[in-house]
């Protein structure tokens, strides 16, 4: 590691309208070093990265110094900064779909970046783009060059963003939550790719995440932010083995771990207040619960269900047959949480859509309460919509931005005739807000006025408003930071116990699914490759694919 840092952040503070959101932080990153920057949403991580790239909004007031290659990035003029940004300082954003131009082919977007900073001919630029796509391990670089963002997977979009970021061989790469929405195997591949690129180029890397475990296997040092302050910075192993601050200890404690299952996950507040829950679910209690569960008639029964799509390849090539769900069978019982895991594109969400009747049924049998639901009339479908609800991954996009959250929750109550009048519906809505940990005075607020965790609670309130029996949680905690995730998981378990809900819990975070699930199904390329008791599948997986998924868990399964 070189003595002279690539970037040196000195007493950096950022405020908006006299509210200080980053408070006198100091850190350095050296050549060929990965610094992990961790903390909850709102801790100031992304604001710090935007200050380092000159992308803060105009109303931001910034003080301190950011020394980079002889420049102070706080006082540098905009024209000089534009020459650095993209060329010597590059950034990978959290959501590649919103960062890529949907109307422009992927190859041309990377080519545009190269043309802006380097004097090269068009044919040379294309060759370089194809070489970059090969370097970031994108399959069929020629095809990827001609593809639009919506035509490729989430992991592939993130690789395009990485190719764009390293196109000009930057000295500093900032990766802001680059793997949050990706499944564990793709997440592992992206982390390995970034480490490999670091070895090849010698650049410095700032890796921003809310997940301490993710940086455990990749960062040289870790810095922890809390409420705008840098509360701890140390070499990775030392920080994990001997965390100095209560907050760092709280971050480490908020994730489901191997061993006895806690009835309630500890939250950041629990650890900070030294009020860590200790009640565990014993093996005997688990066996007794399962014995009662599986003596019942299944609530949902699927037998050899298949769904085929046809992908149009062009006039001469015709259509390609894609079997998204391939002879899937499962049983979900009243009061049970059935966990469903698998990589992106394996068919999890298609299966959920078939259960919800949002996709035309294919071959096989799909029974709910022992009744085939693949050929229902409109009245029967309306009842099914009430009985089976969905909690989305992104609550913001599933809520109407022009409708107050109170009205959004009231709407299904009124539609399904569960209130005598609007006054009654309002009272039920206020009770639901309190039930999910929100206050009654939030009734008239709009979705943009809430945090991600609060919006997910609104989504949960809307789902349980119609008194369903089965709730499908489709990646419903994937985008939440660790402490908020723990709060939402605790809420889901409490509501399940209180109301007797059944959950189909779909997620790519295997630790979370294991914590929630009674039985676990593993899906791969449209097929169910393994299923059984959640503990049996996790601790003693029989199939190579399941073993691969567990091996890819960030930080290991500890």
């Amino acid at each position: 590691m070189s003595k002279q840092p690539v970037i040196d952040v000195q007493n950096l503070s950022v405020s908006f309208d006299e509210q200080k959101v980053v408070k006198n932080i100091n850190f350095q990153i050296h050549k060929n070093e990965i610094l992990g920057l961790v903390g909850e949403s709102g801790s100031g991580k992304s604001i710090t990265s935007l200050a380092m790239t000159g992308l803060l909004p105009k109303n931001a007031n910034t003080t301190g110094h950011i020394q980079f290659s002889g420049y102070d990035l706080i006082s540098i003029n905009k024209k000089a900064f534009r020459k650095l940004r993209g060329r010597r300082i590059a950034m990978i954003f959290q959501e590649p779909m919103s960062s890529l131009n949907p109307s422009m082919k992927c190859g041309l977007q990377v080519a545009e970046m190269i043309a802006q900073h380097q004097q090269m001919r068009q044919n040379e630029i294309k060759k370089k783009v194809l070489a970059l796509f090969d370097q970031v391990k994108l399959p069929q670089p020629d095809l990827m060059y001609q593809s639009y963002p919506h035509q490729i997977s989430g992991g592939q979009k993130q690789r395009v963003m990485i190719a764009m970021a390293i196109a000009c061989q930057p000295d500093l790469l900032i990766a802001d939550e680059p793997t949050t929405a990706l499944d564990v195997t793709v997440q592992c591949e992206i982390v390995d790719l970034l480490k490999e690129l670091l070895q090849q180029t010698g650049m410095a890397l700032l890796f921003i995440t809310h997940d301490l475990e993710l940086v455990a296997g990749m960062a040289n040092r870790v810095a922890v932010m809390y409420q705008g302050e840098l509360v701890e910075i140390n070499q990775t192993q030392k920080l994990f083995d001997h965390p100095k601050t209560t907050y760092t200890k709280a971050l480490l404690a908020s994730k489901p771990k191997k061993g006895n299952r806690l009835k309630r996950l500890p939250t950041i507040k629990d650890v900070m207040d030294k009020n860590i829950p200790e009640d565990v679910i014993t093996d005997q209690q688990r066996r007794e619960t399962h014995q009662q569960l599986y003596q019942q008639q299944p609530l949902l029964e699927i037998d050899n269900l298949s769904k085929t799509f046809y992908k149009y390849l062009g006039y001469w090539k015709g259509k390609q047959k894609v079997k998204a769900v391939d002879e899937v069978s499962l049983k979900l019982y009243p009061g049970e949480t059935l966990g469903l895991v698998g990589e992106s594109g394996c068919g999890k969400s298609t299966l959920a859509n078939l259960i919800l009747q949002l996709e035309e049924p294919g071959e096989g049998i799909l029974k709910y309460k022992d009744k085939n639901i693949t050929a229902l009339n409109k009245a029967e479908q309306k009842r099914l919509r009430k009985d089976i609800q969905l909690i989305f991954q992104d609550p913001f996009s599933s809520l109407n931005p022009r409708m107050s959250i109170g009205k959004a929750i009231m709407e299904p109550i009124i539609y399904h005739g569960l209130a005598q009048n609007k006054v009654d519906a309002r009272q039920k809505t206020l009770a639901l807000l309190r039930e999910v940990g929100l206050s009654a005075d939030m009734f008239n607020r709009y979705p943009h006025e809430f945090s991600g965790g609060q919006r997910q609670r609104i989504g949960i309130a809307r789902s349980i408003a119609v008194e369903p029996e089965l709730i499908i949680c489709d990646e419903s905690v994937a985008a939440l930071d660790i402490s908020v995730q723990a709060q939402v998981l605790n809420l889901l378990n409490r509501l399940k116990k209180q109301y007797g809900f059944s959950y189909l819990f779909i997620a790519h975070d295997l630790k979370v699914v294991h914590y929630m699930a009674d039985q676990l199904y593993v899906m791969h390329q449209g097929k169910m490759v393994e299923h059984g008791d959640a503990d049996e599948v996790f601790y003693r997986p029989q199939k190579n694919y399941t073993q691969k998924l567990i091996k890819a868990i960030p930080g290991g399964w500890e």
Side-chain angles (χ1 to χ4, degrees):
M1 190 182 296
S2 62
K3 293 182 180 179
Q4 185 69 28
V6 173
I7 194 161
D8 186 1
V9 178
Q10 304 168 2
N11 297 314
L12 175 66
S13 293
V14 181
S15 58
F16 297 92
D17 300 325
E18 299 183 358
Q19 181 182 1
K20 195 175 276 190
V21 293
V22 173
K23 307 169 185 176
N24 301 311
I25 67 171
N26 296 271
F27 63 86
Q28 299 176 334
I29 314 175
H30 293 78
K31 185 177 181 180
N32 204 32
E33 181 190 23
I34 302 175
L35 175 67
L37 184 60
V38 301
E40 298 172 271
S41 297
S43 63
K45 306 186 303 293
S46 293
I47 293 294
T48 300
S49 70
L50 293 175
M52 294 166 69
T53 52
L55 296 173
L56 285 171
K58 291 181 180 179
N59 65 331
N61 180 32
T62 309
T63 60
H65 303 280
I66 303 176
Q67 301 294 336
F68 176 81
S69 192
Y71 298 97
D72 186 346
L73 301 182
I74 298 296
S75 57
I76 191 174
N77 65 59
K78 291 182 180 180
K79 185 177 179 181
F81 215 141
R82 279 196 296 269
K83 289 182 179 179
L84 291 176
R85 192 189 303 118
R87 171 65 186 89
R88 300 190 61 191
I89 302 174
M91 192 163 181
I92 305 168
F93 294 94
Q94 176 175 353
E95 179 44 68
M97 192 64 201
S98 59
S99 304
L100 293 170
N101 186 335
S103 64
M104 193 174 182
K105 291 177 180 178
C106 293
L108 295 179
Q109 297 192 51
V110 181
E112 186 179 54
M113 171 66 75
I114 298 170
Q116 186 175 350
H117 293 284
Q118 296 179 346
Q119 296 296 321
M120 296 175 67
R121 295 178 180 177
Q122 285 299 117
N123 62 331
E124 293 175 335
I125 291 176
K126 183 172 182 178
K127 284 181 182 178
K128 182 164 185 177
V129 173
L130 293 174
L132 284 165
F133 282 180
D134 187 57
Q135 188 178 2
V136 299
K137 297 180 173 59
L138 275 168
Q140 299 177 282
D142 286 303
L143 180 61
M144 291 293 156
Y145 190 98
Q146 298 295 334
S147 297
Y148 290 94
H150 72 274
Q151 295 176 309
I152 60 178
S153 71
Q156 289 170 341
K157 282 193 280 280
Q158 198 60 284
R159 289 171 190 269
V160 171
M161 285 295 299
I162 293 171
M164 190 183 299
I166 66 169
C168 298
Q169 298 179 319
D171 300 306
L172 172 66
L173 178 62
I174 300 171
D176 189 2
E177 301 276 12
T179 61
T180 297
L182 304 178
D183 60 59
V184 286
T185 51
V186 177
Q187 190 178 76
C188 189
E189 289 168 4
I190 296 296
V191 167
D192 288 344
L193 173 60
L194 289 172
K195 289 163 66 177
E196 186 180 320
L197 291 172
L198 196 78
Q199 291 175 348
Q200 292 171 2
T201 63
M203 63 184 173
L205 173 61
L206 177 64
F207 191 91
I208 300 172
T209 181
H210 60 251
D211 192 342
L212 266 172
E213 291 178 331
L214 186 60
V215 297
M218 70 175 297
N220 303 100
R221 292 183 301 135
V222 177
V224 181
M225 286 193 76
Y226 176 57
Q227 295 182 348
E229 296 182 3
L230 196 60
V231 296
E232 186 166 356
I233 185 167
N234 209 337
Q235 293 178 359
T236 303
Q237 200 58 51
K238 288 182 179 179
L239 185 135
F240 271 77
D241 292 344
H242 306 287
K244 294 178 182 178
T245 66
T246 305
Y247 179 70
T248 306
K249 294 174 184 176
L251 277 180
L252 289 166
S254 297
K255 195 81 169 175
K257 291 179 175 61
K258 187 175 181 179
N260 289 331
R261 293 187 188 218
L262 292 171
K263 291 182 179 178
R264 190 174 69 84
L265 286 173
T267 64
I268 297 289
K269 187 178 185 302
D270 289 331
V271 180
M272 300 284 276
D273 295 344
K274 297 182 180 178
N275 183 33
I276 301 175
E278 296 180 354
D279 287 344
V280 300
I281 302 171
T282 65
D283 290 342
Q284 180 63 28
Q285 288 173 327
R286 194 167 158 77
R287 280 194 295 270
E288 289 173 357
T289 300
H290 286 184
Q291 190 173 12
Q292 293 174 358
L293 279 177
Y294 303 132
Q295 284 178 347
Q296 307 173 90
Q297 285 294 319
L299 179 67
L300 177 73
E301 191 169 1
I302 298 173
D303 188 22
N304 290 321
L305 186 67
S306 296
K307 178 63 179 179
T308 302
F309 294 97
Y310 292 91
K311 184 178 179 181
Y312 182 67
L313 300 176
Y315 182 79
W316 298 107
K317 295 182 180 179
K319 296 179 181 178
Q320 179 185 7
K321 187 177 180 180
V322 179
K323 211 162 192 179
V325 174
D326 191 358
E327 296 184 352
V328 163
S329 297
L330 63 78
K331 292 179 182 179
L332 191 157
Y333 293 81
E336 179 191 23
T337 298
L338 186 152
L340 180 59
V341 299
E343 295 171 282
S344 297
C346 71
K348 305 188 300 295
S349 292
T350 301
L351 180 61
N353 288 339
L354 288 169
I355 295 169
L356 290 160
Q357 300 292 283
L358 299 176
E359 292 281 359
E360 289 291 327
E363 301 170 358
I365 298 171
L366 182 56
K367 289 183 179 180
Y368 178 73
K369 291 185 174 178
D370 205 33
K371 181 176 182 179
N372 192 330
I373 59 173
T374 57
L376 302 178
N377 60 40
K378 286 187 177 181
E380 291 170 328
Q381 277 207 342
K382 184 177 178 179
R383 283 196 294 272
L384 186 72
R385 294 274 187 269
K386 174 189 170 299
D387 285 352
I388 306 179
Q389 286 289 304
L390 177 66
I391 301 173
F392 295 91
Q393 176 176 349
D394 182 2
F396 188 67
S397 62
S398 64
L399 292 168
N400 186 337
R402 297 181 178 182
M403 183 182 286
S404 70
I405 62 110
K407 288 184 178 178
I409 297 169
M410 280 177 61
E411 187 178 48
I413 295 175
I414 294 168
Y415 176 78
H416 287 287
L418 298 174
Q420 296 175 3
N421 49 49
K422 286 188 177 181
V423 174
D424 185 28
R426 181 185 174 89
Q427 291 305 312
K428 287 180 183 291
T429 299
L430 292 173
L432 283 165
L433 287 173
R434 290 190 290 267
E435 188 72 74
V436 298
L438 299 173
S439 58
D441 62 3
M442 294 177 176
F443 184 95
N444 290 315
R445 295 187 194 174
Y446 290 84
H448 72 274
E449 299 180 76
F450 295 89
S451 69
Q454 288 173 324
R455 283 197 290 263
Q456 198 57 283
R457 290 173 183 270
I458 294 164
I460 292 170
R462 198 170 193 266
S463 295
I464 68 174
V466 295
E467 303 167 9
E469 295 186 338
L470 172 60
I471 299 177
I472 298 175
C473 306
D474 191 2
E475 300 283 9
S476 54
V477 296
L480 304 178
D481 64 55
I482 294 172
S483 63
V484 177
Q485 190 180 85
Q487 293 169 22
V488 172
L489 294 175
N490 290 337
L491 172 62
L492 288 171
N493 277 333
R494 178 174 65 78
L495 293 172
K496 174 187 169 183
K497 184 177 181 181
Q498 184 173 340
Y499 293 104
F501 295 139
S502 301
Y503 292 136
L504 173 58
F505 196 90
I506 301 171
H508 63 252
D509 189 327
L510 278 80
K511 287 187 178 182
V512 167
V513 180
H514 171 258
Y515 172 74
M516 293 293 289
D518 295 293
Q519 62 172 333
L520 178 63
Y521 281 73
V522 182
M523 201 167 181
H524 180 49
Q525 294 181 347
K527 290 182 175 290
M528 290 298 183
V529 295
E530 186 165 0
H531 76 275
D533 178 86
D535 285 349
E536 284 294 319
V537 173
F538 257 71
Y539 299 142
R540 289 168 288 277
Q542 301 300 308
K543 303 296 182 181
N544 291 336
Y545 178 71
T546 310
Q547 293 167 9
K548 174 190 168 186
L549 286 180
I550 293 171
K551 188 178 179 180
I553 295 174
W557 180 231
E558 300 172 353

